[in-house]
Amino acid sequence: MQIQLKQLCLQYDCEGRKSDVLQDIDLQIGRGEFIGIMGRTGCGKTSLVQLMAGLLTPTSGQVLIDGEDINSRHYDKTILRGKLGYVFQYPEYQLFETTVYRDVAFALKYSKLSKKEVEARVRQALEDMGFDFAAIREESPLALSGGEKRRVAIAGVLAAQPEILILDEPIAGLDPQARDAFLKLLKKLHAQGTTILMISHNADALADCAHRLIVINDGKKALDGTVEEVFSHEEVLSQMHLDVSFASRMSKKLALPHSVTYEAFVQNLKAKLGGDAQ
Ligand SMILES: Nc1ncnc2c1ncn2[C@@H]1O[C@H](COP(=O)(O)OP(=O)(O)O)[C@@H](O)[C@H]1O
Ligand SMILES: [Mg+2]
């Protein structure tokens, strides 16, 4: 297992009172999985992924990455930084360099890569995020639009070519075209072997990309399974104020075989209409 959470608990100190944010989370994540994480606002999603990334320390329990406890005193956190990329929610607020190039190259500053290799990585990451490298490289990040800033910030994480990519609501607020292009890129990275964990409220996007969904409710793991399995619990999800995908909802309404992606839904619908017409 690449990522293992064992009996993970997190409490925050709230004006002297301890409040439980995450309770007894056990989780096993294999190399190359694409996992969606869902849950209503405040349920603990961000805290969960920050624990995996070593950005928060658990109150109790363990986070193992490639079998090593990342919170052990002997663990060298530079190893984790080398293999895990973390895209914060609203990463666009974290741009601070004078040019786009410098911002994207920042994560490679302490790597052993040559100047030429750094440039190749920066170019690739910016092109992957839909930019014309020559046109954008000397721009000031501050002069870009909100969507462009976010794409630059994500390029900064991709340039390090992480084995594990964690994204906290990366598509919220993107326009449909930018969102679709971004999801396509995630699918490409996944096909190349990257392990991806994406928090999102967008059930359609998760159905489109992820293979497995983990639902967090009130600090606990409520559901964990394939997208098909999790979306078959429409009522349970609705009680948690969560949506299933359009395809999942419509296939139930139309009494079609259960499907979660738009493509599968259309195919099933066509098959039914074709069958009925005969
Ligand atoms: N630094 C903090 N101090 C105290 N409470 C916090 C802190 N960060 C988050 N919380 C609380 O922890 C809970 C889970 O937050 P979070 O992990 O951000 O949830 P989500 O990402 O699902 O919206 C919320 O109730 C939130 O108010
Ligand atoms: Mg959050």
Side-chain angles (χ1 to χ4, degrees), residues 101 119 122-124 126-127 131-138:
Y101 187 96
E119 175 161 338
V122 174
R123 172 194 282 272
Q124 178 74 49
L126 283 167
E127 287 178 354
F131 289 108
D132 175 333
F133 178 63
I136 197 80
R137 61 176 295 166
E138 294 308 320

Side-chain angles (χ1 to χ4, degrees), residues 11-235:
Q11 294 181 325
Y12 280 121
D13 235 330
C14 230
E15 295 163 357
R17 249 179 357 110
K18 295 217 182 303
S19 72
D20 288 319
V21 173
L22 292 170
Q23 291 176 57
D24 296 328
I25 307 264
D26 282 304
L27 210 52
Q28 310 240 348
I29 296 170
R31 194 172 291 277
E33 288 201 65
F34 193 142
I35 298 184
I37 300 176
M38 294 180 89
R40 68 189 296 192
T41 303
C43 72
K45 303 180 296 298
T46 296
S47 302
L48 179 70
V49 292
Q50 292 201 342
L51 284 165
M52 290 186 204
L55 299 168
L56 285 174
T57 311
T59 310
S60 62
Q62 286 181 314
V63 180
L64 307 181
I65 307 274
D66 291 327
E68 291 191 84
D69 181 345
I70 63 166
N71 296 297
S72 139
R73 268 193 301 133
H74 311 291
Y75 185 74
D76 176 4
K77 279 218 169 153
T78 55
I79 297 175
L80 187 60
R81 271 180 236 126
K83 55 178 136 189
L84 189 145
Y86 188 99
V87 177
F88 285 86
Q89 194 171 8
Y90 306 117
E92 53 271 33
Y93 296 127
Q94 281 154 22
L95 300 172
F96 60 93
E97 288 281 5
T98 48
T99 68
V100 165
Y101 187 96
R102 290 168 67 105
D103 230 307
V104 176
F106 183 79
L108 304 174
K109 210 168 180 166
Y110 303 105
S111 70
K112 295 192 179 83
L113 298 174
S114 69
K115 217 173 152 191
K116 222 170 152 187
E117 286 167 322
V118 169
E119 175 161 338
R121 292 273 198 107
V122 174
R123 172 194 282 272
Q124 178 74 49
L126 283 167
E127 287 178 354
D128 277 346
M129 290 314 298
F131 289 108
D132 175 333
F133 178 63
I136 197 80
R137 61 176 295 166
E138 294 308 320
E139 289 289 323
S140 159
L142 300 178
L144 305 176
S145 74
E148 286 170 334
K149 281 184 192 162
R150 184 176 307 185
R151 288 193 283 136
V152 168
I154 295 173
V157 174
L158 297 184
Q161 298 184 350
E163 290 169 37
I164 303 169
L165 182 61
I166 295 180
L167 307 119
D168 193 350
E169 304 201 27
I171 54 172
L174 287 185
D175 63 55
Q177 218 173 355
R179 183 192 62 212
D180 290 348
F182 183 58
L183 294 177
K184 206 167 145 195
L185 170 69
L186 289 184
K187 284 194 237 179
K188 185 177 118 188
L189 292 172
H190 175 240
Q192 290 167 355
T194 310
T195 306
I196 301 182
L197 284 108
M198 175 166 83
I199 297 178
S200 178
H201 288 285
N202 187 322
D204 292 316
L206 291 175
D208 185 26
C209 294
H211 299 174
R212 175 176 165 196
L213 285 183
I214 293 168
V215 179
I216 305 294
N217 188 45
D218 211 6
K220 298 196 185 86
K221 188 174 80 176
L223 294 168
D224 178 2
T226 63
V227 182
E228 285 78 9
E229 282 163 3
V230 170
F231 282 176
S232 68
H233 299 285
E234 191 175 336
E235 272 157 37

